Amino acid sequence: MTYPWPGGARAAVCFTLDFDGESPYLWRSRDRRDDAVGELEQRRYGPRRGVANLLSMMDGLGLRATVFVPGWIAATYPEQVAEVHRRGHELALHGWCHEPPTSLTGDELHATLDRAIRTLEEVSGERPVGYRSPSWDMTGGVFPVLRALGIGYDSSLMGDDRPYEVDGVVEVPVDWATDDAPYYRYVGGDPRPPTPTGPVRDAWAAEIAAAKRHGTLCMITVHPWLSGRPARVAALEELLAPVVADAELCTPTVRDLAAHHRAQHGGRTVTLDRLDRPAHD
């Protein structure tokens, strides 16, 4: 089945940033009282240096990204988040302080996302229309909350390799294989070292080539505190320069791809209001 990609392209590559900085650590450690700063400082590399390095790389390529930002990050680093928007990239929701939806009630999720929407709007002057759940942790109850808040798309699930619809919300799917965290995330005591840049670049190049061959979406997800390091930025530039130059590939923001999908009415609608489980004797 051929998907009608924007501009008649054979396939799509979306480049996205999860600009979460230290917010996941703050959420996980919210009930602890200690003075540990190692992982906090490691993660603060993202807003201090990493996001600027990635923005410069994208400027050089003429590539626009979607940047998913927790509201707490926008409130804590408003200049960096405003600069992302000023350079032409889309800002989208990523919770308030990286709270996974499975840890929240529906009312709590609504309150945290509403707060994040207002904060991003204050920083950028533009209301976000997309959402990505922290750690891609999702429940079926998220979608009614998104609809109530006027959020038109989600980018957290892996049920297809083309956009589709879930409970009236456009789903622009993701993939762990093209997320940098499984390769680069390393904090003290982890059992394996970070993957070198070469194997990651080559693996992602293979994913992009396969997407082009099969007419699918390759969703690349990076974190400024991980992929914002200079050698990793250089590897991303080597990976993405041929993509931007390839007339058979489109590189839309997630917002633009979701709007294109909705205009085409080309997706299958999936309902997540119940789980079908096999019966047991």
Side-chain angles (χ1 to χ4, degrees), residues 74-87:
T76 306
Y77 301 102
E79 293 181 4
Q80 288 92 325
V81 175
E83 183 66 10
V84 169
H85 182 263
R86 189 188 70 78
R87 299 218 197 172

Side-chain angles (χ1 to χ4, degrees), residues 157-270:
L157 298 178
M158 307 183 193
D160 206 329
D161 49 22
R162 302 163 178 83
Y164 59 111
E165 291 185 23
V166 177
D167 290 351
V169 176
V170 175
E171 181 64 40
V172 186
V174 295
D175 186 359
W176 279 116
T178 47
D179 182 301
D180 64 351
Y183 306 97
Y184 291 150
R185 188 185 185 280
Y186 180 88
V187 296
D190 284 349
R192 60 167 178 79
T195 306
T197 57
V200 177
R201 180 198 59 225
D202 293 346
W204 289 2
E207 294 282 350
I208 292 168
K212 182 176 177 179
R213 184 165 63 252
H214 292 280
T216 60
L217 167 66
C218 182
M219 174 70 73
I220 296 175
T221 302
V222 304
H223 299 73
W225 73 282
L226 297 172
S227 285
R229 299 276 177 177
R232 296 169 184 174
V233 174
L236 282 171
E237 187 171 22
E238 292 175 7
L239 173 76
L240 294 170
V243 172
V244 173
D246 191 337
E248 293 188 306
L249 294 174
C250 62
T251 56
T253 63
V254 184
R255 174 181 58 200
D256 289 347
L257 184 53
H260 170 81
H261 177 83
R262 196 175 290 280
Q264 293 289 322
H265 302 290
R268 297 171 300 284
T269 298
V270 178

Side-chain angles (χ1 to χ4, degrees), residues 110-129:
H110 188 286
T112 58
L113 291 184
D114 181 62
R115 185 183 182 191
I117 287 169
R118 288 184 280 108
T119 302
L120 283 173
E121 195 168 14
E122 288 171 5
V123 169
S124 68
E126 187 173 348
R127 185 180 176 87
V129 298

